[in-house]
Amino acid sequence: MKKFIKNTLLCFGIVISIVTFYSCVFFNFIVPQYTNNFDASVVNKLQRLDKIEKPKIVLVGDSNVVFGFNSDEIEKSLDMPVVNMGLSADLGNAFLENIAKSNLRNGDYLVLCQYYYDDDDSILNYDSMWATIENRFYLWKYLRLKDIPGMIKALPNYMLHATICKINHSGDKFENAAYSVQAFNKFGDDIYSRTTNIYDINDAVIEAPHVSKTFISRINKLNQYCNDKGATLLIAGYPIPDGKNTPDKIEYLDFQNDLKSQVECKCISDLSDYFYDYSYFWDTEFHLTNSGAELRTKQFVLDFKRFKNSEPIQKFDSSK
Amino acid sequence: MLFNSYQFAIFLPIVFIVYWIIPDKIRWLFLLLASYYFYMSWNIKYVFLILFTTIISYLCALLIFNSKNHEMKKVWLSVALVSSLGLLFVFKYFDFFCEIINEMVKPFTIPISSFTANLVLPVGISFYTFQTISYVIDVYRDNEVPEYHFGKYATFISFFPQLVAGPIERTSDLLPQIKAKHYFDYNKATYGMKQISWGVFKKVVIADTLALFVDSMYGDFLHYNGMVLFIVAVLFSIQIYCDFSGYSDIAIGTAKLFGIDLMTNFSSPYFSKSIKDFWSRWHISLSTWFRDYVYIPLGGNRCSKTKNALNLFITFVLSGLWHGANKTFIVWGAIHGLGQIIEKNLLPLQKNNKFDMKLPSRIMKGIRIIVVFVFVSFAWIFFRADSLWDARYIITSMFVGIIHPVTYVRDGLHMAVEIGLNSFELSKMALYISLLFFFDFFSMRMDVIQTISNQKKVVRWGIYISFILFVLTMIPSGGNKNFIYFQF
C-alpha cells in the first residue's frame, strides 16, 4: 500500500507542479486577453471611483445601469460627481455591490438599480468573471471565500480559451462595438449610438420581480456598512418594458411593497414611473435606447431630489 | 455526496486509508459505517428506509430458510416483497398512480379529490430495493444460503460505491467478498484508480458538456425544429451513456480500491448489432435482474411465440416503469419490447436469406450497428422528454424541412449555434466522441486499461499525466450536474 500511496502522490504531485508552472507563465505572460470587452470597463470605473474625494453618487447594478443613464446629466442636475459602476449581470449582484463600495466615504450615495432582486448570492457565470478580473490581482479581493470553488472550477476553461486567444491574437476582437470598452465614457456609461429599437420584445419572457431572503439579508448588511462609513444606501427603479408581454402592474407594486417592508434602506423610486414603451428599449428588454436613457435619467433625478428634499412623489412628464 | 464533488474527494481517501490500516476483522463494520455516512449525506432521515428494507429482507430470508413447509416460505417471501415494493411504490409511484386513477375516472365525472403525497424520492431506493429482492428470492429458490451475520448483510446492501446507482449486485457475487479476508492488491488498486479516472472523464467532461446543449434545447424545444432536434437526440444518447457508464466506472473502480470486484455494467453498448445485443451490453445488472426475476418466471421463451412476445413486452414495460413514474418511461420500455419482438420474428427470415443484400459482412455489421443506434436514440427521446406530448412534438418536428436537404442542414446548423454548438464546441465534441469510440471499440477486443498498464513506465506515466491534465482542462465550468440515474 505504501507504494500505491507513494505513486499516487507522485502522480498528482507532477500534475500539480505542471499546473502551477503553467499558471505562473499564464498569469505573467499570456493574460490579460480581454482588455477590450464590456466588463474590462471595470478598470476605468474603479479608477474614477477611487479618485473622487468629494461626496459622490455611485450607480450600482447590471447592464441596465450601463445602458440606462446619462451620468453627465445627473452630475449637472444634482451637482455631485457620479460614477456608473454598472457591469454585466453575469458577475452576480453580490460582486457588483461589493466592488461599488470601494472608497466609500462620508456623504456618498450608493444607489442600487438592479434588475434582479431574488439572486442566490452567487456569481452567475464564472467564465465571465475570469474574463473580467484576469490577472488584475487588485480585483481578486472583491471575490469572497464562497466564490473560490466556482472560480477554481472555471479556471481551466478560462486558461484554455485565453491561451487560444493568445495564439490566434483574437482576445481583443469583438463583434459588437456597443460591448467594447471603447463605448464607455469617463462616467462609466455606454454611449454607443442607440437610436432605435432593434429587438422585438414580443419574443421576450418578462417576469415580475421577486425578493429573496438572501438578497434582503445582504442589502441590510450593506446598509449597515454604508451607515458605518457615513454613506447612504438607496434603491432606485429600473426600466420595465410596457407592453403585452409585461405582467400586471399590480405585481410590480406588490413587489415594491414587499421590498420596502424588508429593506432597512430607503427606496426612492416608484416603479410605476419606470414603465417605458417597447420602442425605448434597444437590443434586449434590459437596455434602453439613448432617448430611453434620457427619460430614465430625468426620472431618477426627480426621485433623488424628492428624497433629498423629502418631497412627495412627482412623476416625470416627458411632454414638458 | 456526488462522486464528482470535493466532499467525495476527501471522503474516499480517508475511508481507503483507514480501511487498510484497521484489522481485517472489523473492516466490514468500518465499511458499513462509511456507507451509512455516505447515504446520510444525501438526506439523513431516509437512512431509516434502507435500514427498514435491510432488516425486513434479512429476517424474511432467515424465516424462509428455516420454514419447514413451502406455504410458509411463500408467506415470508410475500412479506418481504410487499414491504420492499410497497415502500418503493409509496415513494416513487403513488402520485403517478393517483394521476392515472384520476384520468381514468374523469370521463365518468366521478368526484374524486386529487390527493398527492409529494414525497421526495430517496436516492438509490430502486437499486437497493432490487438488491434485497434478489437476495430473498435467491434464498427462496434455494440458490443461496441466508446470511446470519446481520452486520455483514447490511454492509452488502449498503456498500457505498454501488448504493445509489448500481450496479445491482447479486448475493453470490458481492456478499462473499464482503465476508472474505482482503489483502492489499497493488495492481487491483491502481486498476481501480484508472477506471475511476476514465469514469470521471466520461461523466464530468463528456456528459456534463453535452448536458449544456441537450438541456438548452429540451428546455425550449418549441422554438426548434429540423436537424437540430436530430443532432440533440444523438447528443443525448451519448450523454446518458457517458453519464451512467461513467458513474458505473467510478463505482467499480472505487470498489477495487477496497479489493472488491463489482460486475461490469456496460460493454460497448453502441456497438450492438441488434436490440437484444444492446440489452446484453447496457445496464447489464438491471437487464439480467429483469431476466432472472421477471422474464424467466413469466415463462421466458419456453412457451408459445405469442406468450413469449407477451413476456418480453411485460418485462420491458416494467423495466421502463422502474426508471420512473411517468408514461414516457413506460412508452420507452414498450418501444424496446416491441423492437425485440419484431427483431425476433425477423430473425428466421434473415437466416433464410430473405434479406440477403449481398454486402461484405463488415459493411453489414456497420449497417446493423447504425440501425440499432438510430433505434435506441429514437427511444431515448421518450426517456428524456417530460411528457408524451413533448416527445411526439420533438419527433414530428425533427423532419420539418427534410424534403429540402440543403436548407434542412443549413437551418439545422444555424439553430445548433443558437444553443451554443459553434465550431469550437463541435470540435471539442468530435474529439471526446472519438476518444470514447476508440476506447469502446478496442474494449471489445482487449482490456484497454490493462494494455496501457503493460507499457513501459515512461509511456504509461506520460499517458496518465497527459490524461489528467486533459480532463482538468476540459471540465465545463457550469455547475456540478447530478448523475441522471440518481433520479431513479
Side-chain angles (χ1 to χ4, degrees):
Chain A
M1 187 161 106
K2 280 185 193 162
K3 183 182 171 191
F4 175 80
I5 293 176
K6 188 193 91 181
N7 281 345
T8 305
L9 289 174
L10 180 63
C11 184
F12 282 114
I14 294 172
V15 168
I16 290 168
S17 305
I18 294 172
V19 168
T20 307
F21 172 74
Y22 185 71
S23 300
C24 293
V25 167
F26 179 80
F27 283 110
N28 282 296
F29 300 107
I30 294 184
V31 288
Q33 278 298 312
Y34 303 104
T35 54
N36 235 352
N37 77 355
F38 186 82
D39 288 322
S41 61
V42 70
V43 174
N44 294 334
K45 288 175 191 244
L46 212 48
Q47 273 175 6
R48 179 175 170 80
L49 196 64
D50 288 344
K51 233 176 23 189
I52 298 174
E53 306 284 337
K54 291 164 58 177
K56 57 191 176 291
I57 294 173
V58 183
L59 302 170
V60 185
D62 43 70
S63 55
N64 92 78
V65 175
V66 179
F67 288 100
F69 280 107
N70 181 340
S71 299
D72 189 22
E73 185 62 38
I74 298 173
E75 267 201 14
K76 288 175 180 150
S77 302
L78 300 177
D79 196 27
M80 283 180 82
V82 175
V83 185
N84 184 332
M85 285 301 294
L87 291 164
S88 167
D90 278 351
L91 306 180
N93 278 351
F95 179 82
L96 301 177
E97 291 151 18
N98 217 14
I99 200 164
K101 69 185 198 207
S102 173
N103 195 32
L104 200 63
R105 291 163 176 263
N106 187 29
D108 286 352
Y109 291 92
L110 204 64
V111 187
L112 304 185
C113 315
Q114 277 122 326
Y115 199 90
Y116 298 105
Y117 296 81
D118 56 354
D119 65 271
D120 62 358
D121 204 43
S122 62
I123 296 170
L124 297 185
N125 188 321
Y126 289 92
D127 293 327
S128 295
M129 181 59 84
W130 271 118
T132 304
I133 64 174
E134 297 214 84
N135 63 344
R136 301 178 191 103
F137 301 116
Y138 60 92
L139 291 178
W140 290 24
K141 68 177 186 249
Y142 297 106
L143 296 173
R144 302 157 300 170
L145 265 173
K146 63 187 284 191
D147 298 325
I148 307 277
M151 292 298 287
I152 291 173
K153 195 159 184 272
L155 178 59
N157 199 42
Y158 162 65
M159 288 172 93
L160 174 68
H161 280 91
T163 306
I164 292 170
C165 287
K166 176 78 173 175
I167 295 167
N168 291 345
H169 306 288
S170 60
D172 283 344
K173 287 193 181 129
F174 46 85
E175 286 172 12
N176 190 335
Y179 291 90
S180 99
V181 78
Q182 270 102 34
F184 287 77
N185 64 8
K186 67 173 185 176
F187 302 96
D189 305 334
D190 190 310
I191 55 168
Y192 181 79
S193 176
R194 311 184 303 276
T195 50
T196 54
N197 164 260
I198 59 171
Y199 168 70
D200 188 358
I201 295 186
N202 291 311
D203 290 341
V205 174
I206 302 169
E207 291 176 356
H210 298 283
V211 170
S212 69
K213 285 191 169 57
T214 311
F215 175 84
I216 297 295
S217 167
R218 193 178 66 241
I219 293 310
N220 288 338
K221 282 192 188 127
L222 179 61
N223 185 54
Q224 185 57 51
Y225 178 86
C226 291
N227 290 343
D228 292 344
K229 291 277 182 181
T232 308
L233 179 67
L234 303 171
I235 297 178
Y238 66 92
I240 302 162
D242 190 7
K244 69 175 175 62
N245 279 8
T246 310
D248 203 4
K249 279 186 185 169
I250 198 84
E251 291 189 55
Y252 289 88
L253 293 175
D254 287 342
F255 152 75
Q256 188 168 268
N257 291 335
D258 193 16
L259 180 69
K260 279 182 179 171
S261 68
Q262 295 188 67
V263 292
E264 289 162 6
C265 62
K266 200 97 171 90
C267 298
I268 64 170
S269 301
D270 183 341
L271 275 183
S272 59
D273 297 333
Y274 283 80
F275 281 81
Y276 302 108
D277 185 77
Y278 284 3
S279 61
Y280 285 109
F281 287 84
W282 182 52
D283 66 345
T284 68
E285 61 268 34
F286 315 109
H287 302 163
L288 292 167
T289 57
N290 297 124
S291 48
E294 294 299 326
L295 277 182
R296 191 249 188 114
T297 300
K298 287 181 165 73
Q299 184 60 55
F300 170 76
V301 165
L302 257 181
D303 290 344
F304 193 87
K305 280 181 175 170
R306 176 177 53 78
F307 156 73
K308 289 262 343 228
N309 303 331
S310 300
E311 285 170 11
I313 293 168
Q314 291 177 54
K315 184 178 166 59
F316 170 68
D317 186 351
S318 58
S319 63
K320 289 190 182 160
Chain B
M1 63 184 95
L2 291 173
F3 275 178
N4 53 329
S5 65
Y6 297 112
Q7 295 93 321
F8 188 74
I10 297 167
F11 170 82
L12 182 60
I14 294 171
V15 172
F16 169 76
I17 290 169
V18 173
Y19 178 83
W20 289 111
I21 289 172
I22 59 177
D24 183 68
K25 259 195 293 200
I26 56 168
R27 280 182 187 157
W28 67 266
L29 179 60
F30 177 70
L31 266 188
L32 178 64
L33 293 171
S35 299
Y36 268 73
Y37 175 81
F38 177 83
Y39 194 73
M40 285 195 289
S41 70
W42 294 96
N43 191 325
I44 199 163
K45 53 184 193 256
Y46 287 140
V47 79
F48 296 106
L49 289 175
I50 185 174
L51 191 58
F52 172 79
T53 306
T54 306
I55 292 169
I56 291 289
S57 54
Y58 169 79
L59 290 173
C60 286
L62 288 175
L63 288 163
I64 288 170
F65 186 73
N66 290 307
S67 292
K68 298 270 187 273
N69 69 63
H70 198 67
E71 289 310 311
M72 279 315 295
K73 285 181 194 280
K74 271 190 182 168
V75 166
W76 295 123
L77 175 66
S78 305
V79 168
L81 292 179
V82 165
S83 53
S84 307
L85 291 172
L87 266 181
L88 188 63
F89 176 81
V90 164
F91 280 93
K92 195 167 173 179
Y93 299 107
F94 183 75
D95 289 352
F96 178 60
F97 175 74
C98 289
E99 190 188 305
I100 297 291
I101 296 290
N102 279 329
E103 273 179 29
M104 281 166 59
V105 303
K106 218 177 179 179
F108 306 103
T109 59
I110 297 171
I112 287 186
S113 62
S114 57
F115 169 78
T116 51
N118 284 326
L119 294 169
V120 172
L121 183 66
V123 73
I125 190 170
S126 302
F127 293 89
Y128 66 72
T129 299
F130 270 34
Q131 197 154 309
T132 56
I133 289 173
S134 81
Y135 168 73
V136 173
I137 293 177
D138 285 347
V139 171
Y140 173 79
R141 286 176 177 171
D142 293 325
N143 292 341
E144 290 292 334
V145 173
E147 178 54 52
Y148 281 84
H149 194 300
F150 177 73
K152 290 182 183 175
Y153 174 70
T155 310
F156 155 66
I157 296 298
S158 64
F159 183 49
F160 75 89
Q162 49 96 53
L163 173 60
V164 295
I168 303 168
E169 286 292 325
R170 299 302 179 89
T171 315
S172 55
D173 293 332
L174 182 55
L175 190 51
Q177 295 189 76
I178 297 287
K179 290 157 66 172
K181 196 175 171 87
H182 290 286
Y183 299 95
F184 184 77
D185 183 336
Y186 175 83
N187 290 328
K188 190 177 268 189
T190 52
Y191 191 101
M193 287 290 289
K194 290 160 203 165
Q195 197 162 4
I196 290 171
S197 307
W198 181 244
V200 167
F201 168 68
K202 283 198 285 190
K203 163 58 185 162
V204 171
V205 176
I206 304 182
D208 284 359
T209 301
L210 294 177
L212 297 171
F213 309 111
V214 172
D215 292 350
S216 174
M217 195 289 288
Y218 272 89
D220 195 22
F221 62 88
L222 292 170
H223 272 111
Y224 301 100
N225 57 46
M227 198 178 88
V228 71
L229 294 177
F230 178 74
I231 294 171
V232 171
V234 168
L235 292 183
F236 179 70
S237 300
I238 299 166
Q239 179 201 342
I240 192 167
Y241 170 54
C242 290
D243 193 286
F244 196 18
S245 68
Y247 169 86
S248 291
D249 281 327
I250 297 171
I252 295 166
T254 303
K256 280 189 168 32
L257 292 175
F258 300 95
I260 291 170
D261 291 309
L262 298 179
M263 67 182 292
T264 303
N265 218 7
F266 292 85
S267 177
S268 307
Y270 289 144
F271 283 94
S272 305
K273 293 184 276 293
S274 66
I275 301 164
K276 185 179 175 190
D277 189 21
F278 176 79
W279 282 102
S280 69
R281 294 164 178 267
W282 178 277
H283 201 174
I284 297 166
S285 66
L286 182 74
S287 58
T288 52
W289 194 99
F290 271 99
R291 180 196 66 201
D292 294 341
Y293 301 108
V294 177
Y295 180 65
I296 290 175
L298 283 174
N301 58 6
R302 295 184 184 201
C303 51
S304 66
K305 255 189 176 173
T306 314
K307 182 80 176 25
N308 176 232
L310 187 63
N311 294 340
L312 262 177
F313 187 77
I314 291 170
T315 304
F316 275 94
V317 166
L318 287 175
S319 169
L321 193 58
W322 176 90
H323 283 82
N326 194 328
K327 290 174 200 162
T328 52
F329 294 114
I330 295 172
V331 168
W332 170 78
I335 289 171
H336 274 275
L338 282 170
Q340 282 225 33
I341 292 165
I342 293 168
E343 191 179 76
K344 218 172 176 174
N345 285 301
L346 282 176
L347 194 62
L349 295 171
Q350 196 182 24
K351 282 188 173 161
N352 294 337
N353 286 331
K354 293 279 183 203
F355 293 116
D356 186 359
M357 290 158 77
K358 297 199 188 330
L359 288 169
S361 65
R362 270 195 185 167
I363 292 179
M364 279 310 297
K365 266 188 200 166
I367 291 171
R368 280 205 191 121
I369 288 169
I370 291 167
V371 167
V372 172
F373 181 76
V374 168
F375 173 84
V376 166
S377 299
F378 164 79
W380 283 135
I381 294 171
F382 289 88
F383 193 92
R384 177 60 179 81
D386 289 332
S387 70
L388 291 178
W389 190 92
D390 293 1
R392 189 175 59 89
Y393 179 91
I394 289 167
I395 290 164
T396 50
S397 302
M398 210 179 266
F399 300 101
V400 166
I402 201 168
I403 51 169
H404 305 291
V406 172
T407 323
Y408 182 75
V409 170
R410 191 193 64 211
D411 289 348
L413 291 174
H414 180 72
M415 280 191 221
V417 169
E418 262 184 45
I419 57 168
L421 277 171
N422 52 39
S423 51
F424 180 71
E425 293 298 329
L426 280 171
S427 312
K428 265 189 354 189
M429 232 153 292
L431 175 64
Y432 301 159
I433 292 167
S434 304
L435 276 170
L436 184 71
F437 175 88
F438 283 113
F439 187 96
D440 276 12
F441 179 77
F442 286 109
S443 290
M444 294 189 291
R445 287 154 179 73
M446 65 176 89
D447 185 332
V448 175
I449 292 176
Q450 193 56 50
T451 306
I452 293 171
S453 303
N454 293 342
Q455 303 307 309
K456 286 187 183 154
K457 190 169 185 174
V458 170
V459 172
R460 64 175 195 267
W461 274 74
I463 292 171
Y464 302 154
I465 288 162
S466 308
F467 186 73
I468 294 171
L469 289 170
F470 176 71
V471 169
L472 285 174
T473 317
M474 294 296 171
I475 293 174
S477 50
N480 261 359
K481 294 213 173 289
N482 248 342
F483 290 92
I484 294 173
Y485 266 69
F486 278 12
Q487 63 186 303
F488 311 135

